[in-house]
Amino acid sequence: MSTHNFVLIGEAGSGKTEIAANLALRLAEDMPVPVCLIDMDQTKCMFRARDFSSLLEKGHVHMAVNPELWDSPLMPQGVTSLLKDDSICCVFDAGGNAVGAAMLGQFAGLMAERNTSYYYVINPCRAFSGSMEDILESLSAILISARIPAEGLKFIANPFMGEYTTPELIMEYVRHLEAELGKAGLKLHGLAVSERFFGEVRKLTGLPILELNTFVDKLYV
């Protein structure tokens, strides 16, 4: 297996939790090894990966959880053992700011020993992701706190404005984000799009796309 860990980081509201869940489910379909989703986002309580653990288990994605301590800002159980087990693929939903990312930083040494891919998720429709200055300020604080190497970091766009989202709006913000990242010599590596818009957006871009099954809809209907 070429990659042992997949780490999703980004500001609160970027959509990294749903992306982490969808990525874990896709990996569980394609990989011959167990996939474990580790919820390390302790910065919010509204929408967390552990809230839809039962849906993930049905897709053969396991979770490192302490059910009796879900509402406490504590480390999920067994993270060190999971990282040391080369027969398991780990997907991390990391904290949404520098404070939350510090939890991930405790395992920087172990992750460096394994093949780890890091993805920074940006919702360019959010006010705090509107310019390169905003992006770099947040990115720098999170990378330092999580002890993540900047080289090799991949950027994922998740343009979403709720009921106002359209394929045209998605592409407008994707092009804007590509231009902003280009100012710093960075590039966009892919985007995440709701299954509702996947077909149309795929016709409009050559970027890799992760089709999102929106779990939040299943939780609160």
Side-chain angles (χ1 to χ4, degrees), residues 36-43 48-50 62-83 90-95 100-107 110-111:
C36 185
L37 176 59
I38 303 172
D39 186 352
M40 300 186 77
D41 190 345
Q42 304 293 337
T43 61
R48 306 162 298 189
R50 54 189 179 270
H62 310 292
M63 294 198 71
V65 295
N66 306 53
E68 70 280 7
L69 299 173
W70 268 354
D71 292 315
S72 301
L74 301 176
M75 184 73 64
Q77 62 187 13
V79 175
T80 297
S81 297
L82 291 169
L83 283 171
C90 300
V91 178
F92 289 84
D93 174 19
M103 183 177 287
L104 185 68
Q106 300 176 52
F107 302 100
L110 273 175
M111 289 187 174

Side-chain angles (χ1 to χ4, degrees), residues 19 59 66 87 94 115 124 127-128 150 178 210:
I19 293 174
N66 306 53
S87 68
N115 191 347
F128 52 72
E178 284 184 306
L210 175 64

Side-chain angles (χ1 to χ4, degrees), residues 70-218:
W70 268 354
D71 292 315
S72 301
L74 301 176
M75 184 73 64
Q77 62 187 13
V79 175
T80 297
S81 297
L82 291 169
L83 283 171
K84 289 182 176 180
D85 189 342
D86 289 327
S87 68
I88 294 176
C89 174
C90 300
V91 178
F92 289 84
D93 174 19
N97 57 25
V99 175
M103 183 177 287
L104 185 68
Q106 300 176 52
F107 302 100
L110 273 175
M111 289 187 174
E113 295 173 5
R114 269 54 176 185
N115 191 347
T116 301
S117 295
Y118 298 95
Y119 298 89
Y120 192 80
V121 181
I122 302 173
N123 181 350
C125 303
R126 299 281 181 172
F128 52 72
S129 300
S131 69
M132 200 59 229
E133 290 75 17
D134 296 327
I135 294 170
L136 288 179
E137 181 178 358
S138 174
L139 174 63
S140 177
I142 289 176
L143 291 185
I144 292 172
S145 183
R147 298 169 60 194
I148 292 175
E151 61 274 12
L153 181 69
K154 297 180 179 180
F155 293 88
I156 304 296
N158 180 37
F160 184 70
M161 286 190 70
E163 62 182 299
Y164 301 104
T165 307
T166 64
E168 294 75 21
L169 180 142
I170 289 171
M171 291 311 305
E172 176 185 342
Y173 278 96
V174 165
R175 295 186 185 102
H176 171 75
L177 180 58
E178 284 184 306
E180 288 296 309
L181 289 173
K183 294 176 182 178
L186 303 171
K187 61 176 290 188
L188 188 62
H189 295 85
L191 58 150
V193 177
S194 167
E195 55 193 351
R196 176 183 172 190
F197 305 111
F198 177 78
E200 286 299 313
V201 173
R202 186 172 54 178
K203 300 174 185 176
L204 301 173
T205 179
L207 287 168
I209 306 175
L210 175 64
E211 183 179 4
L212 295 181
N213 185 333
T214 50
F215 290 100
V216 67
D217 294 340
K218 295 175 174 58

